[in-house]
Amino acid sequence: MPQIKEILQTMDYGPSPEASDHVTAWLEKHSEGFTHFIDGAFVSPENVEFFEVSDPARATPLGCVAQGTTDDVGKAVDAARRAFRTWSKLPGHTRARYLYAIARHIQKRERFLSVLETMDNGKPIRESRDIDIPLVARHFYHHAGWAELIETEFPGHAPVGVCGQIIPWNFPLLMLAWKIAPALAAGNTIVLKPAEFTPLTALAFAEICREVGLPAGVVNIVTGDGRTGAALVEHPGVDKVAFTGSTEVGRLIRQETAGSGKKLSLELGGKSPFIVFDDADLDGAVEGVVDAIWFNQGQVCCAGSRLLVQEGVADRFHSKLKTRMETLRVGSPLDKSVDVGAIVAPVQLDRIRELVEKGKAEGGTMWQASTPMPENGCFFPPTLFTDVEPSSTVAEVEIFGPVAVSMTFRTPEEAIQLANNTRYGLAASIWTENVNLSLDVAARVKAGVVWVNCTNMFDAGAGFGGYRESGFGREGGREGLYEYLAPVWEKGLAKGQPAAKPDLSALPAERAAEGAAEGVALATSTPTIDRTAKLYVGGKQARPDSGYSYTVRNGRGEPAGQAGLGNRKDIRNAVEAAAKASSWGGVTAHNRAQVLYYLAENLQTRSAEFEARLASLTGVSPEAAAEEVGAAIRRTFWYAAWADKFDGHVHATKSRHVTLAINEPWGVVGVVCPDEAPLLGFVSLVLPAIAMGNRVVAVPSASQPLLATDFYQVLDTSDVPAGVVNIVTGESDALAKVLADHDEVAALWYVGSAEGSAAVEKASAGNLKATWVSHGRSRNWLSASEGQGRDYLRHATQVKNIWVPYGE
Amino acid sequence: MTGNARRNEGTALKPEMFESIQVNLSAVERRAGTLTTRRSVKKEYQAAWLVKALTCIDLTTLAGDDTPGRVHRLAMKARKPLREDIVEALGLADEPPKVGAVCVYPTMVAPAVKALRGSGIPVASVATGFPAGLTPLPQRLAEIRYAVEEGAEEIDIVITRSHVLLGEWQALYDEVKAMREACGHAHLKAILGTGDLKTLRNVYKASMVAMMAGADFIKTSTGKEDVNATLPVSLTMIRALRDYGEWTGEKVGFKPAGGLKTAKDSLAWLILIKEELGNAWLDPHLFRIGASSMLADIERQLEHFVTGRYASASRHALA
């Protein structure tokens, strides 16, 4: 023990270990191995295969955990299914009481859970104690509130069913809370698989569920590795899969669940920009970097790992940052004076080392603090790379370690360009004292969470989730609840009769029925002037690239005209035109509303023509045709009305913070229209998308495309800017596949066959675009509850949460 | 304060060094709020840190009812801030700790100097119309000269807050520079009255001007404002001090004052200093805590460390 006199010379902090005896006792109690928690009980350890879980800081084993088999997963899903029958029917208030009890019990076990989390994961006790576990409790409290309010706040919605949830190792219990709390509040039951590196707090949570008397089967925890996760994803009894983890695995899950009808939310990787403007509080921003990339050893999906610093202050900023790095303390995560703990596992450490080596080999300048490093265990020092460019591997790839890369920019324009130069879009941090600049950048950066003059702020009341390949769906807040609810109307849709595949023959047909093409019976020997329906791309009529047209037949199967046989190049051109029309998302909502009203006006002017066309082409009665056209006009009005009213929220998070949840358009949305209701179906899908500021590439009904091609004349006369709506006719499923494969398309709606839906979902994994498919179920387009609604608007937008702390 | 400590020579007034400063309140609060959750000192380390804090205390009495007798009692406590058996148990008997200085009003300097003779403990005097600082400048300068003549080695001046509120940097600079001249060999501690300045930008700017004018220390508060020393204000001043040091190579001292009462407070500020400035500042030459009741709490904590029993103030000598 050093003398007081000596310490007075060194003024060291000395050791400050958090006691772990309670956790050690708990681990000893379970020394025979932890088993799954299924149907309200821990299963018997007989015939169970175990794997070891270790403390990464000390490289010592903590215990053995069961490797979940397909059979285990099956039992858990069955238990959840049984429990769902009663749990989902409970009054929200009753579920609220359970969630409240869980929140309370987590608070009562706060220190136990903190210490356990730190031992299992390697994160500093300060973080588990001050951040993770308090946020866990907060999440359950917040969602106890949602359970109470679910019936009144989410009318027309029902729980999804049995949720399969797979969580990562970086925030084990917090990610569990993010998954379980909203699912339970909404009335779902759960099978959760914690990460193989860090399953222990989930098992402690299972004990808490038992302690509070949560009904058996409502929460089931099955431990294991990726194979267990795969079994859960594949299980046909699962109605919803929620996954947080790597983009690679997210992609696999998207492919695996394609066509299954399982609802899916993915919270994936990131390479989030941290933008420092020259008028920022530089010292504040330096601390921001500490919280961004040296929080949880940088093993944070939303870590601000890509620093973008305005060139004029870059030297000064880097110098301040390097000075700050010197005072970061790396060491035993149970020590209360440690900033950076252990990397979760050796395999992760190897990956970090490999990428850092690559960064050096590619010419990056590496800076590491001279802070003393522990001799054993999984540790990596805080690291900064300068002299990197967007083309450097370390600037592009998610390292998931305490490694920041820094680049410079000259203007706000360039900062945004660099910030968005990534396939990800999870978070962004913006540092400037200029409110104009901060909000401008916040609006233009492609990220689901934007922090102004702060970083890594979390609250149960705000939504969290990514744009682009960072996934889709939100966790937290009102927007997060929708991931665990299904609209009753959509749940109730029946499988439709699969429409007969139209013969899209490019060969000349027999003689057209007289007047068929125009729908007006003309008894004259003078032929009507031939009409050519083209594709509609970038505000112009375009011939199909293929040079082929196909015969469109009327309800009696007689040739009634021709439509262009669009191909992948036509889709390419249409997407390009749509991408160019980006200013549509920036015009005022009032302006978009005006355009939509004008559309309704012009459609009404030509309603007789559309009615006649519908009747002649589809063979419906004039009354039915009039009803469809009338509904289309009304629907256009309806979305015009919504254009400036689908507001976001201001979430109540922390004091002196404005947290804005803004509904933003996706950008380019693909819309594949149904065969039935060829006009109304088209209008019902295209209009909500453009009302919210998206640009659309629409593939109309293949058998009846001429209503859509007639419609482009209405678009032309209604001041719809070029590129906002693009129409490509042809074979729907083939064109849908091209849209699904296109990385510039951010979201894709498909109404058609079950096979087509599966193909779209599968192909969408490429850039993880959000999809909304019908799975072969048909809806009544005339119905106001099925053919229109807020759900359409919700699918037309993604929520961006912008955090702005204030105070002078 | 020992005579060989290097003094801040000051610079010309350079508003460009501070006029465009940005201080984000929320960011400062976050850093200040996590300083003490990121660091912890326990057991013998905590004892040593508390001893360090004790040696940095400007043991202060600034009350209307101060008398030579009251000052004498305070000075005696300054000489022997810890009971002997505690000093012994801490292993510090061959060099018992003493406080950084004794801080009094100008008319109390003489009794303080007398009581502290031979102890090596300097007497600090507030001056310049403390606490409001709104008496005419000649009188304020005369007050400084009086205190120095009485034997004060350190002068805690107050700045004219209105100069900051109105952005009159030249006036502020000239005033502090004149005071520094009036101090002569005595060291100048500039009290910014941060509770009156309100915004952290003001705090940063006032800090910079005071340092440019040659302040040896910058000090938060008089102890008489509504809000006294806080960690966010201290962090802002320390950042100014660090920026000034980077620019000039000078080391300027820092003194939080007012509202610091507990041993725990003292640890919080020591952590702040160590993290933001480094060990060099953990020294009475560069760091002081203006306090009166803190010493008693430190003594109680140290007794607890030594005996393992919770202490009672009645068993410690009154300051």
Side-chain angles (χ1 to χ4, degrees):
Chain A
M1 190 169 94
Q3 301 285 307
I4 304 285
K5 216 179 250 181
E6 292 160 21
I7 301 170
L8 276 165
Q9 296 307 310
T10 63
M11 286 303 285
D12 284 342
Y13 288 110
S16 194
E18 176 72 38
S20 58
D21 43 346
H22 290 290
V23 170
T24 309
W26 184 75
L27 291 170
E28 270 163 20
K29 196 178 125 197
H30 291 285
S31 58
E32 286 182 12
F34 292 91
T35 56
H36 312 303
F37 180 68
I38 296 174
D39 210 10
F42 289 92
V43 303
S44 137
E46 283 160 45
N47 305 321
V48 170
E49 184 196 329
F50 288 99
F51 63 93
E52 200 174 77
V53 175
S54 63
D55 173 347
R58 289 182 281 199
T60 50
L62 294 172
C64 285
V65 172
Q67 166 64 32
T69 62
T70 307
D71 188 43
D72 297 327
V73 168
K75 283 178 182 148
V77 172
D78 291 346
R81 175 61 57 199
R82 283 192 300 276
F84 181 72
R85 287 178 209 130
T86 43
W87 179 254
S88 60
K89 303 284 188 309
L90 289 177
H93 174 69
T94 309
R95 290 200 300 269
R97 286 183 176 214
Y98 284 112
L99 283 160
Y100 181 77
I102 292 173
R104 278 302 202 191
H105 280 244
I106 282 166
Q107 273 190 324
K108 288 179 234 185
R109 312 276 181 236
E110 214 165 31
R111 194 54 62 93
F112 171 80
L113 292 168
S114 303
V115 173
L116 179 59
E117 194 77 303
T118 283
M119 288 170 71
D120 200 9
N121 165 278
K123 64 174 65 207
I125 185 72
R126 175 191 79 91
E127 294 178 7
S128 53
R129 178 197 67 203
D130 295 350
I131 300 168
D132 289 51
I133 307 304
L135 281 172
V136 171
R138 160 90 179 120
H139 221 79
F140 279 102
Y141 275 121
H142 182 77
H143 286 89
W146 280 126
E148 183 73 38
L149 301 174
I150 204 101
E151 290 124 359
T152 49
E153 287 300 299
F154 296 89
H157 286 78
V160 181
V162 173
C163 301
Q165 305 180 320
I166 300 171
I167 56 170
W169 45 258
N170 56 347
F171 295 89
L173 194 62
L174 183 56
M175 291 301 103
L176 173 147
W178 282 22
K179 295 280 181 287
I180 287 186
L184 293 188
N188 302 275
T189 55
I190 291 159
V191 179
L192 176 133
K193 188 199 87 70
E196 57 182 305
F197 292 147
T198 57
L200 297 180
T201 43
L203 293 162
F205 177 81
E207 291 184 351
I208 287 176
C209 290
R210 202 177 50 180
E211 187 179 43
V212 303
L214 191 71
V218 170
V219 169
N220 303 275
I221 311 266
V222 179
T223 52
D225 58 15
R227 292 169 292 171
T228 314
L232 182 55
V233 167
E234 289 162 17
H235 195 291
V238 169
D239 301 304
K240 145 102 194 176
V241 173
F243 171 76
T244 297
S246 72
T247 294
E248 293 90 317
V249 175
R251 238 187 274 285
L252 291 176
I253 291 177
R254 170 69 289 184
Q255 286 163 351
E256 173 56 40
T257 55
S260 67
K262 288 173 188 163
K263 199 174 158 98
L264 180 64
S265 52
L266 299 173
E267 203 272 271
L268 309 174
K271 190 77 181 177
S272 297
F274 185 104
I275 312 169
V276 182
F277 287 96
D278 60 6
D279 65 345
D281 173 352
L282 292 187
D283 289 304
V286 164
E287 294 303 329
V289 176
V290 172
D291 291 335
I293 190 69
W294 297 310
F295 169 55
N296 202 24
Q297 297 71 247
Q299 303 166 137
V300 184
C301 49
C302 53
S305 50
R306 223 159 28 104
L307 312 186
L308 302 171
V309 187
Q310 197 151 13
E311 207 170 323
V313 294
D315 286 348
R316 195 163 147 70
F317 184 75
H318 289 147
S319 145
K320 278 178 180 285
L321 186 57
K322 288 172 185 174
T323 305
R324 178 67 178 90
M325 286 169 75
E326 290 296 316
T327 58
L328 289 170
R329 290 166 57 88
V330 184
S332 164
L334 276 176
D335 188 303
K336 287 179 259 187
S337 298
V338 153
D339 297 304
V340 179
I343 303 297
V344 73
V347 57
Q348 186 61 21
L349 184 61
D350 291 344
R351 180 184 149 81
I352 297 168
R353 285 186 177 142
E354 208 174 290
L355 281 163
V356 165
E357 284 313 309
K358 190 152 192 192
K360 288 195 282 188
E362 288 179 7
T365 304
M366 188 189 73
W367 171 271
Q368 285 178 334
S370 58
T371 175
M373 296 290 292
E375 281 171 19
N376 302 312
C378 251
F379 292 91
F380 197 84
T383 303
L384 171 70
F385 268 102
T386 52
D387 302 315
V388 293
E389 300 298 342
S391 55
S392 314
T393 304
V394 285
E396 202 191 341
V397 171
E398 183 178 37
I399 298 174
F400 228 64
V403 183
V405 302
S406 190
M407 293 172 273
T408 62
F409 64 87
R410 295 164 294 176
T411 61
E413 210 52 48
E414 193 174 49
I416 292 164
Q417 220 180 352
L418 285 166
N420 289 338
N421 184 214
T422 169
R423 60 175 62 202
Y424 297 112
L426 191 47
S429 185
I430 300 163
W431 293 77
T432 167
E433 291 299 299
N434 178 341
V435 65
N436 308 303
L437 179 61
S438 64
L439 294 182
D440 184 40
V441 178
R444 291 162 70 191
V445 74
K446 299 274 182 211
V449 187
V450 180
W451 292 297
V452 174
N453 291 324
C454 59
T455 196
N456 280 339
M457 304 292 254
F458 308 103
D459 188 79
F464 182 93
Y467 280 29
R468 297 179 167 174
E469 291 176 42
S470 292
F472 43 77
R474 294 291 176 266
E475 296 184 294
R478 183 181 287 270
E479 54 265 42
L481 260 297
Y482 286 107
E483 301 303 325
Y484 290 97
L485 290 166
V488 171
W489 69 264
E490 207 174 2
K491 263 194 140 177
L493 295 181
K495 286 268 180 207
Q497 284 298 322
K501 286 246 176 210
D503 172 21
L504 306 185
S505 169
L507 302 178
E510 65 275 22
R511 184 187 155 87
E514 209 162 75
E518 295 308 307
V520 181
L522 295 175
T524 168
S525 55
T526 311
T528 53
I529 296 175
D530 191 71
R531 279 184 66 183
T532 304
K534 293 186 185 163
L535 314 185
Y536 186 65
V537 173
K540 291 196 179 73
Q541 300 180 32
R543 289 179 196 289
D545 167 81
S546 65
Y548 288 109
S549 292
Y550 69 95
T551 301
V552 177
R553 292 176 185 275
N554 66 16
R556 294 189 299 275
E558 300 155 350
Q562 296 81 37
L565 203 51
N567 66 12
R568 52 187 293 115
K569 286 187 182 167
D570 296 311
I571 292 287
R572 176 199 66 188
N573 295 344
V575 171
E576 209 161 287
K580 265 192 206 141
S582 59
S583 61
W584 178 246
V587 303
T588 64
H590 169 71
N591 194 210
R592 282 198 296 275
Q594 272 187 312
V595 169
L596 264 67
Y597 281 124
Y598 196 24
L599 251 175
E601 192 182 310
N602 289 322
L603 189 55
Q604 183 201 243
T605 308
R606 298 176 59 171
S607 55
E609 176 199 329
F610 273 95
E611 285 168 24
R613 191 78 149 146
L614 261 177
S616 103
L617 282 173
T618 64
V620 296
S621 69
E623 292 75 24
E627 194 185 5
E628 181 170 343
V629 174
I633 294 168
R634 219 164 40 246
R635 197 146 289 166
T636 309
F637 239 62
W638 201 78
Y639 285 114
W642 266 117
D644 60 353
K645 293 174 191 68
F646 194 61
D647 297 328
H649 289 94
V650 179
H651 289 311
T653 55
K654 294 169 185 281
S655 56
R656 262 185 37 227
H657 278 70
V658 179
T659 307
L660 303 165
I662 295 177
N663 295 323
E664 285 198 340
W666 294 98
V668 179
V669 175
V671 171
V672 182
C673 302
D675 258 335
E676 71 272 15
L679 174 67
L680 186 58
F682 176 88
V683 164
S684 302
L685 293 169
V686 170
L687 290 190
I690 66 170
M692 293 297 102
N694 297 287
R695 292 89 69 194
V696 166
V697 175
V699 176
S701 155
S703 59
Q704 295 304 341
L706 299 181
L707 276 312
T709 54
D710 284 357
F711 193 78
Y712 64 60
Q713 294 189 343
V714 184
L715 294 170
D716 267 342
T717 53
S718 306
D719 296 341
V720 178
V724 171
V725 179
N726 305 275
I727 301 169
V728 179
T729 56
E731 193 190 340
S732 298
D733 284 2
L735 297 174
K737 174 77 164 61
V738 181
L739 281 168
D741 277 333
H742 200 305
D743 287 345
E744 188 65 36
V745 176
L748 179 54
W749 299 355
Y750 173 92
V751 181
S753 67
E755 305 76 53
S757 298
V760 159
E761 286 189 333
K762 191 158 195 170
S764 73
N767 70 339
L768 287 162
K769 58 175 65 67
T771 54
W772 188 26
V773 302
S774 68
H775 295 295
R777 289 192 283 261
S778 60
R779 67 194 81 170
N780 175 6
W781 291 101
L782 286 166
S783 147
S785 61
E786 294 180 14
Q788 71 181 32
R790 291 182 77 112
D791 293 315
Y792 287 76
L793 299 170
R794 207 157 22 248
H795 281 287
T797 50
Q798 52 189 340
V799 184
K800 175 188 271 184
N801 271 265
I802 304 176
W803 293 68
V804 190
Y806 59 89
E808 175 63 53
Chain B
M1 186 172 288
T2 50
N4 59 6
R6 187 187 148 82
R7 298 193 63 182
N8 169 30
E9 293 306 322
T11 67
L13 176 67
K14 298 207 168 160
E16 67 273 20
M17 297 304 291
F18 58 83
E19 272 190 325
S20 61
I21 187 65
Q22 304 290 358
V23 186
N24 186 283
L25 175 67
S26 302
V28 169
E29 285 177 344
R30 275 195 302 276
R31 171 61 172 154
T34 51
L35 270 164
T36 51
T37 61
R38 284 178 178 275
R39 296 293 179 265
S40 154
V41 275
K42 295 290 170 209
K43 300 187 173 162
E44 65 274 18
Y45 286 88
Q46 188 180 80
W49 279 55
L50 291 176
V51 170
K52 173 62 79 179
L54 182 158
T55 64
C56 293
I57 289 179
D58 278 5
L59 196 61
T60 303
T61 182
L62 293 170
D65 58 359
D66 284 346
T67 59
R70 159 79 188 113
V71 169
H72 187 265
R73 191 175 78 202
L74 192 76
M76 288 304 121
K77 183 70 179 176
R79 280 172 174 267
K80 208 174 93 177
L82 296 178
R83 223 171 52 205
E84 267 172 30
D85 59 305
I86 300 175
V87 176
E88 191 87 29
L90 290 170
L92 299 171
D94 50 344
E95 209 182 326
K98 54 192 189 208
V99 302
V102 168
C103 182
V104 294
Y105 269 117
T107 52
M108 292 296 132
V109 169
V113 168
K114 192 172 157 210
L116 289 170
R117 189 153 293 144
S119 69
I121 301 171
V123 173
S125 172
V126 297
T128 74
F130 181 94
L134 291 175
T135 33
L137 187 60
Q139 278 85 335
R140 282 186 277 156
L141 296 176
E143 194 186 2
I144 293 174
R145 284 190 285 269
Y146 168 81
V148 174
E149 277 163 25
E150 291 287 287
E153 292 177 63
E154 301 174 10
I155 304 295
D156 289 23
I157 63 109
V158 291
I159 64 163
T160 301
R161 270 79 103 190
S162 78
H163 288 331
V164 179
L165 298 174
L166 302 179
E168 296 163 349
W169 307 122
Q170 188 67 50
L172 178 62
Y173 176 85
D174 292 345
E175 171 184 281
V176 176
K177 204 168 167 67
M179 291 173 179
R180 160 88 199 248
E181 273 164 29
C183 281
H185 66 84
H187 286 211
L188 180 143
K189 304 203 202 93
I191 304 174
L192 306 181
T194 54
D196 290 338
L197 304 184
K198 301 294 182 199
T199 73
L200 295 182
R201 282 167 224 261
N202 280 347
V203 168
Y204 184 97
K205 291 172 185 176
S207 301
M208 267 296 183
V209 175
M211 288 186 283
M212 287 172 177
D216 298 294
F217 263 73
I218 49 175
K219 173 176 167 184
T220 58
S221 329
T222 62
K224 315 286 185 192
E225 291 93 50
D226 293 345
V227 182
N228 294 297
T230 63
L231 280 174
V233 157
S234 301
L235 178 59
T236 304
M237 290 173 71
I238 281 171
R239 283 174 174 172
L241 192 156
R242 205 168 55 196
D243 287 345
Y244 179 79
E246 266 173 38
W247 170 45
T248 62
E250 301 280 3
K251 280 185 175 147
V252 177
F254 172 68
K255 177 177 171 184
L260 279 71
K261 290 184 175 12
T262 63
K264 205 175 166 193
D265 287 336
S266 77
L267 294 177
W269 262 267
L270 286 177
I271 289 169
L272 168 73
I273 298 294
K274 182 175 167 75
E275 289 296 310
E276 294 288 328
L277 292 168
N279 279 6
W281 263 263
L282 291 176
D283 185 288
H285 288 125
L286 289 168
F287 178 60
R288 295 288 180 80
I289 300 168
S292 38
S293 60
M294 176 186 276
L295 175 56
D297 194 40
I298 289 180
E299 192 174 9
R300 284 197 311 142
Q301 301 307 325
L302 286 173
E303 181 172 0
H304 175 248
F305 169 73
V306 166
T307 65
R309 291 157 47 83
Y310 288 107
S312 161
S314 64
R315 294 157 63 111
H316 298 148
L318 216 54

